[in-house]
Amino acid sequence: MSERTIVLLAVSGVTFLLAAKAHGRQLRLERELEGYHRVVFGGSNPPFVEALWRADRVRYWTIAAALSIAVLGLFALARALGWAWPFLGGGGGSVAWLVVWGAPVAAFLTCGVWSLSRFILAISARLDGAVDSEWISESLQGSAWWFTAALLATVLVLFASTRKV
């Protein structure tokens, strides 16, 4: 394995963690907005929290599976039509990388932005002062920073994976 591939895989790992953090943070904010500040991972939680997590797991795995199938289908189509596959030299390893890394990252970002939109709608419904405006401001700024970092890292990884050295 080349040094470039090792670096790309390491940066892919960091990007995965950034996307997971942005997503998880957004779910936490959504949960806290509803008044649930403490949870037990792997334990018993209030119905709202369990429903939020359950719905998010369904969304996440549906998106990740659909994207994985799309990557496999596009790769098969590219091979059948003789098109050049642009990622990591065009072989099967690049497909595995897109399925193992790309689909989960895209699913985390999609579900995180989906949660952010629910969060903004919930805040909009409470603009009568029921929620601390400073907390809202800090929450939205933090979300903007985490999602920006995750998106920029994702674009960087995808760009770097298509460059010939």
Side-chain angles (χ1 to χ4, degrees):
M1 191 178 310
S2 73
E3 184 177 306
R4 176 180 181 262
T5 302
I6 292 169
V7 169
L8 187 61
L9 291 175
V11 174
S12 296
V14 170
T15 302
F16 175 85
L17 294 174
L18 284 170
K21 170 64 178 176
H23 165 258
R25 178 184 191 281
Q26 197 55 53
L27 281 178
R28 177 182 56 81
L29 291 173
E30 195 174 355
R31 168 179 56 78
E32 287 180 354
L33 181 64
E34 296 300 323
Y36 300 99
H37 297 278
R38 298 200 188 279
V39 294
V40 178
F41 293 102
S44 180
N45 290 293
F48 173 85
V49 174
E50 292 295 336
L52 177 68
W53 289 350
R54 187 178 318 105
D56 192 70
R57 280 192 301 275
V58 169
R59 280 188 287 271
Y60 174 84
W61 287 111
T62 301
I63 292 166
L67 290 172
S68 295
I69 291 167
V71 165
L72 294 169
L74 285 173
F75 183 72
L77 181 64
R79 285 291 169 112
L81 298 176
W83 297 341
W85 186 251
F87 301 102
L88 292 174
S94 67
V95 174
W97 169 74
L98 282 172
V99 167
V100 171
W101 171 81
V105 166
F108 274 137
L109 291 174
T110 302
C111 289
V113 169
W114 200 335
S115 175
L116 176 61
S117 68
R118 288 190 310 266
F119 182 73
I120 291 170
L121 287 173
I123 288 170
S124 298
R126 299 173 188 197
L127 289 180
D128 57 1
V131 181
D132 179 23
S133 62
E134 186 175 334
W135 181 80
I136 292 171
S137 178
E138 289 173 3
S139 296
L140 292 174
Q141 285 177 358
S143 294
W145 282 111
W146 278 106
F147 281 111
T148 299
L151 286 169
L152 287 175
T154 302
V155 169
L156 173 69
V157 169
L158 289 172
F159 179 76
S161 73
T162 62
R163 299 289 97 192
K164 301 247 189 248
V165 179

